[in-house]
Amino acid sequence: MTRRLAADGAGIAQAADILRNGGLVAFGTETVYGLGADATDAHAVARIFAAKERPSFNPLISHFPDADRAFVHAHADGRARRLAQRFWPGPLTMVLPRTAECAVCDLAGAGLPSIAVRVPAGDVARALLAAAGVPVAAPSANPSGGVSPSRAEHVLDGLEGRIDAVLDSGPCAVGVESTIVDLTGPVPVLLRPGGVTIEALREVCPDIALPHGGSDARPVAPGRLSSHYAPTLPVRLGAVSVAPDEALLAFGPELPGSPLTWNLSPGEKLEEAAARLFAGLRFLDMEGRRRGLRAIAVQPVPAHGLGAAIGDRLSRAACPRT
Ligand code: AMP
Ligand code: MG
């Protein structure tokens, strides 16, 4: 059952409670309705991908009630502070290096060393984010491949029964997604055009670059980002047996014979496997190298539901590296 909560004090408090307890709440921002979950909780974030039936784990934007709280988790240089000053709250997302204190889980960041942060406009959204007290990951609140929702009814059309609640703050004002700027390098790069125009950005960052130098700026496909986390050890998919010098990424009953195993989900639960995937790859890679193992063998994961996204991420991890 999906609860429809009014955008008053009681509704906002209930929605914040659901978020803090690992649940999913759709809420209106000035751009579109986002499907929110506690970004520090990998299980909650796995539920976002499950509800949307997303076939791959793309990085999600973490939302905050103000710049101060965003900059606890994301490292802000002078440019980022100036952009925040000018455009927040509003439809601008900044990709920044993670801070040492960054609590956003690997699944929400798709394993990247950077995170995307935004302070949305809208009193209801900001009140919810302040009450939740945690970074809130929120892609658009629609099934994967569908149209972004700009009203609570649109959210329910696509996700009724799959999410805990929708906080109804009426129709969204902007209706297009946020502009995304990557500030991890020396030159700011526009990753996606959106609610804040390039002309307005140039007033603050005159040197901003379009990805292909033209006006047809297209978002960088996150799965292709070279900084995307990939283990150093070779990854062998579809393992039906494992050698004594291989680490094992297991799913369900473990294959015998490996000196080092991380089980994604002994009970074969795909949501649990998604939540444990990035931590598992990191652990087996680090500990496997330390022990002189030569590869990571991966047991098959079913391809239905969240298994498709898990499989997508694993095949990227198994790609030959340059
Ligand atoms: P949205 O669909 O509005 O939730 O925006 C998510 C998009 O933000 C992703 O598909 C990426 O294009 C972009 N994004 C989020 N995090 C990062 C990151 N760390 N590095 C680069 N792009 C990111
Ligand atoms: Mg979308």
Side-chain angles (χ1 to χ4, degrees), residues 225-247:
L225 295 179
S226 53
S227 50
H228 223 178
Y229 177 75
T232 336
L233 286 177
V235 172
R236 181 169 73 81
L237 300 179
V240 289
S241 66
V242 58
D245 58 355
E246 285 181 316

Side-chain angles (χ1 to χ4, degrees), residues 58-61 95 112 114-116 138-139 177 180 191-192 220 222 225:
N58 64 329
L60 305 178
I61 298 168
V95 174
L112 292 165
S114 54
I115 58 162
E177 265 95 355
I180 306 180
L191 294 185
R192 176 176 82 185
V220 174
L225 295 179

Side-chain angles (χ1 to χ4, degrees), residues 52 54 140 142 146 148 177:
K52 286 179 65 83
R54 258 214 149 118
S140 58
N142 53 276
S148 295
E177 265 95 355

